[in-house]
Amino acid sequence: MGAQRIKDEKLELLLEAAKKISSDLPVDELLIFLSDTARDLLEVDRCSLFLADKEKKVLWTKVAHGVSKIVVPWDKGVVGWVYQN
């Protein structure tokens, strides 16, 4: 029964996310919401949502739990590997 409750809670989070995504939230608020939702779904302490800047070939986020802004080359580090693969 506990596993089903967890699935139901995660489904509820996804449904709430779908509502927010289709609303007219400002981009910064939407990024924060999506990052918080991913953190809750993955059951982790922190989560960062990176966006790709194709002109500068970097990945960046203003939404990282615990820091203000991160910018990394899109072919470096774990985040770069995830992006490339």
Side-chain angles (χ1 to χ4, degrees), residues 5 8-9 15 17 20 23 25 28 33 37-38 47 50 56 59 61 63-64 68 70 73-74:
R5 183 183 56 76
D8 291 345
E9 288 174 1
L15 292 173
K20 291 266 188 175
S23 70
L25 277 179
D28 286 352
F33 173 77
T37 300
C47 181
F50 283 86
K56 296 179 182 177
L59 302 171
T61 183
V63 181
S68 57
I70 300 171
W74 68 10

Side-chain angles (χ1 to χ4, degrees), residues 1-38:
M1 186 94 151
Q4 184 60 45
R5 183 183 56 76
I6 292 170
K7 287 180 185 178
D8 291 345
E9 288 174 1
K10 289 186 178 190
L11 177 59
E12 187 62 35
L13 282 171
L14 288 172
L15 292 173
E16 183 64 28
K19 288 180 200 173
K20 291 266 188 175
I21 291 168
S22 63
S23 70
D24 286 336
L25 277 179
V27 172
D28 286 352
E29 287 182 37
L30 182 59
L31 291 175
I32 291 167
F33 173 77
L34 291 173
S35 185
D36 288 346
T37 300

